[in-house]
């Protein structure tokens, strides 16, 4: 945006922080919020996607068709939140050590999933065994992630850790 | 044979670089809680890190609890700027 005589610059002012401690009105049913921070949420995201696919697709469809965005789709949003909380509870109950190693690695590596494959493989195996949720890349042909036909050296290492 | 006194300046330079590098690295690790610093932060990462701060009240501390504390629901902060109409 170039400023000129006919286009004076916009006024810059200091930011003004708005907080609102009033809770939601009582006619809206309350739902617990997800307490996971960014690294555990990224680690569990594919499993949340696998289990909560119908609810999240409902929510996205409702939001794209609605007039006001989220305000018309609070019910679908509550369902998504409850489903995600259930996935996180199950992972914490069954696979907590692998989960913590994986998101600890992610937190160290700038949240780059490709740098934490060695820790991701046992987590995928544990979750597939106990929760029967598999990680599937969306918009791909649906093959499981750790299933390589001609594995490279690194992929062989991942596979060895997978089948421990 | 080179006298050892001639190599002392090289030693001094190497030690100074080493101390500076170690000090920088240690300062960064202390700040980030034992992790490497976050780089290439985009708007999404900034938003998620601000949410993490609201949940755990410490810079880059993570929690994997399924359910958030009750005051998380009303602890959002929106940033606005004043517009003067004069």
């Amino acid at each position: 945006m170039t400023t000129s005589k006919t286009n004076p610059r916009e006024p810059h002012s200091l930011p003004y922080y708005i907080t609102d401690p009033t809770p939601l009105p009582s006619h809206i049913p309350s739902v617990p919020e997800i307490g996971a921070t960014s690294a555990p949420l990224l680690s569990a995201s594919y499993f949340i996607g696998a289990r909560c696919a119908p609810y999240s697709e409902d929510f996205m469809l409702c939001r794209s068709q609605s007039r006001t965005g989220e305000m018309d789709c609070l019910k679908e949003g509550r369902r998504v939140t409850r489903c995600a909380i259930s996935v996180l509870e199950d992972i914490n109950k069954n696979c907590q050590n692998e989960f913590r190693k994986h998101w600890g690695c992610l937190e160290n590596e700038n949240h780059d999933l490709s740098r934490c494959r060695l820790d991701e493989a046992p987590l995928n195996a544990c979750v597939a065994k106990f929760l029967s949720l598999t990680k599937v890349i969306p918009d791909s042909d649906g093959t499981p992630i750790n299933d390589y036909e001609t594995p490279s050296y690194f992929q062989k290492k991942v596979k060895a850790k997978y089948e421990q | 044979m080179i006298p050892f006194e001639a190599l002392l300046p090289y030693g001094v330079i190497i030690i100074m670089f080493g101390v500076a590098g170690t000090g920088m690295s240690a300062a960064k690790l202390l700040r980030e809680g034992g992790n490497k610093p976050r780089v290439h932060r985009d708007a999404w990462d900034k938003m998620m890190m601000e949410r993490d701060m609201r949940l755990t009240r410490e810079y880059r501390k993570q929690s994997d609890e399924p359910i958030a504390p009750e005051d998380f629901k009303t602890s959002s902060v929106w940033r606005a700027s004043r517009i003067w109409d004069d």
Side-chain angles (χ1 to χ4, degrees), chain A residues 75-136:
Chain A
K75 183 163 89 153
E76 284 83 359
R78 283 195 290 276
R79 286 189 191 144
V80 171
T81 310
R82 274 186 228 125
C83 177
I85 286 176
S86 79
V87 173
L88 280 169
E89 276 170 353
D90 289 342
I91 292 180
N92 271 337
K93 202 163 51 161
N94 293 315
C95 301
Q96 195 174 57
N97 293 332
E98 289 92 350
F99 186 44
R100 286 197 168 159
K101 263 197 202 147
H102 186 231
W103 66 250
C105 170
L106 280 179
E107 184 63 16
N108 200 22
E109 299 280 357
N110 199 33
H111 288 209
D112 195 356
L113 282 168
S114 65
R115 291 177 152 259
C116 291
R117 296 292 182 208
L118 284 177
D119 290 320
E120 188 187 320
L123 176 66
N124 286 356
C126 177
V127 170
K129 183 168 144 198
F130 286 103
L131 308 177
S132 54
L133 295 169
T134 45
K135 168 177 166 173
V136 167

Side-chain angles (χ1 to χ4, degrees), chain A residues 103-109, chain B residues 24-38 41 49 58-62:
Chain A
W103 66 250
C105 170
L106 280 179
E107 184 63 16
N108 200 22
E109 299 280 357
Chain B
M24 286 285 289
S25 172
K28 284 178 191 169
L29 285 177
L30 265 177
R31 181 80 188 101
E32 312 279 336
N35 296 316
K36 292 191 265 195
R38 296 288 304 269
R41 282 181 243 193
M49 291 179 82
E58 254 180 59
Y59 179 61
R60 282 196 82 180
K61 181 166 178 255
Q62 306 281 316

